[in-house]
C-alpha cells in the first residue's frame, strides 16, 4: 500500500460521518501493507458515526507497524467497522493485527465474524486485533474466528499457552468471544 494510513482498495476515512455507509464485497489485495495502512480499507474507517463492512475480503501481504490485514489504524473510531468471512495470510510485524490494525473500535466498535489469520504474529500484535483494541470505552468482538500463525516475541517463536485464559506477556494471541476454545475447553 502507498502512503501512511492508505488502503489497498479504499483510502483513509472511508465511510466517515453520521449515517455514512460503505459495503465492500469480494475485495482483495496482495501488496505489502505499510505503517498504519489496511489491506482493504485505510485508517479511520467508519469514523464519526459512519459504518464500513468488509465481507469475504482478503489480503496476502506482510502487515506493517500498527497496520491491519483488512482494516488500518483506528478503524471504527467513534463509529463502526465490521469484517465478515475475511482472511489474511501475511505475517504481522509489530503492534498490528491480522484483521484490524491497532486501536480498532476506539470509542466505537470493531466486529469480526467468521474470519481467520494465517500469518505469524509479531511483538505486541494480535492474530485478529492489533494493540489497544477497544480503547476509550470502545467495543471489539471476535466470534467464530481462528489464527494459525506462530506467535513471535522479538522474532523468536514462543510457547503457546495450554489454557485458554493464559496470557503471554506483551503478546495478544487471540482476542475472541467464543464458547469453545482450540483446546476444546468449554466456557459456560
Amino acid at each position: 500500500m502507498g502512503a501512511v494510513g492508505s488502503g489497498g482498495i479504499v483510502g483513509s476515512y472511508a465511510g466517515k460521518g453520521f449515517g455514512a455507509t460503505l459495503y465492500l464485497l469480494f475485495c482483495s489485495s496482495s501488496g505489502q501493507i505499510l505503517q498504519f495502512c489496511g489491506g482493504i480499507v485505510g485508517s479511520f474507517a467508519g469514523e464519526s458515526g459512519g459504518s464500513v463492512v468488509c465481507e469475504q475480503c482478503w489480503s496476502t501481504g506482510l502487515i506493517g507497524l500498527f497496520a491491519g490485514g483488512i482494516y488500518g489504524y483506528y478503524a471504527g473510531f467513534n463509529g463502526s467497522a465490521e469484517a465478515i468471512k475475511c482472511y489474511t495470510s501475511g505475517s504481522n510485524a509489530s503492534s498490528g493485527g491480522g484483521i484490524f490494525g491497532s486501536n480498532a473500535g476506539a470509542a466505537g466498535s470493531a466486529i469480526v465474524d467468521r474470519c481467520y489469520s494465517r500469518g505469524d504474529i509479531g511483538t505486541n500484535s494480535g492474530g485478529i486485533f492489533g494493540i489497544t483494541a477497544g480503547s476509550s470505552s470502545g467495543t471489539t468482538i471476535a466470534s467464530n474466528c481462528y489464527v494459525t500463525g506462530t506467535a513471535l516475541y522479538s522474532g523468536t517463536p514462543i510457547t503457546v499457552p495450554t489454557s485458554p485464559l493464559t496470557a503471554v506477556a506483551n503478546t495478544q494471541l487471540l482476542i475472541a468471544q467464543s464458547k469453545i476454545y482450540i483446546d476444546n475447553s468449554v466456557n459456560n
Side-chain angles (χ1 to χ4, degrees):
M1 306 311 114
V4 172
S6 62
I9 303 296
V10 180
S12 296
Y13 299 98
K16 178 183 177 182
F18 183 75
T21 302
L22 176 63
Y23 184 84
L24 297 140
L25 180 64
F26 299 119
C27 296
S28 67
S29 69
S30 59
Q32 183 176 355
I33 304 165
L34 300 177
Q35 182 175 328
F36 301 107
C37 295
I40 304 298
V41 184
S43 296
F44 293 97
E47 184 194 20
S48 301
S51 174
V52 179
V53 176
C54 288
E55 185 169 357
Q56 297 185 43
C57 298
W58 64 96
S59 71
T60 59
L62 175 69
I63 302 167
L65 183 67
F66 300 113
I70 302 297
Y71 284 98
Y73 183 71
Y74 268 106
F77 175 65
N78 201 27
S80 70
E82 186 172 0
I84 304 166
K85 297 181 186 175
C86 296
Y87 77 89
T88 59
S89 62
S91 291
N92 194 332
S94 178
S95 300
I99 303 296
F100 276 90
S102 66
N103 297 303
S109 67
I111 299 169
V112 183
D113 183 32
R114 293 168 285 167
C115 296
Y116 68 93
S117 177
R118 294 189 330 205
D120 289 341
I121 304 163
T123 303
N124 293 321
S125 297
I128 300 297
F129 292 107
I131 193 169
T132 63
S135 61
S136 302
S137 300
T139 300
T140 54
I141 298 172
S143 61
N144 301 306
C145 297
Y146 67 94
V147 177
T148 61
T150 300
L152 306 174
Y153 182 75
S154 298
T156 306
I158 60 174
T159 304
V160 176
T162 56
S163 169
L165 300 178
T166 301
V168 177
N170 298 316
T171 306
Q172 300 169 8
L173 292 177
L174 174 64
I175 300 170
Q177 177 184 3
S178 177
K179 292 184 180 180
I180 301 175
Y181 294 88
I182 293 172
D183 68 354
N184 296 321
S185 296
V186 175
N187 182 10
N188 292 323

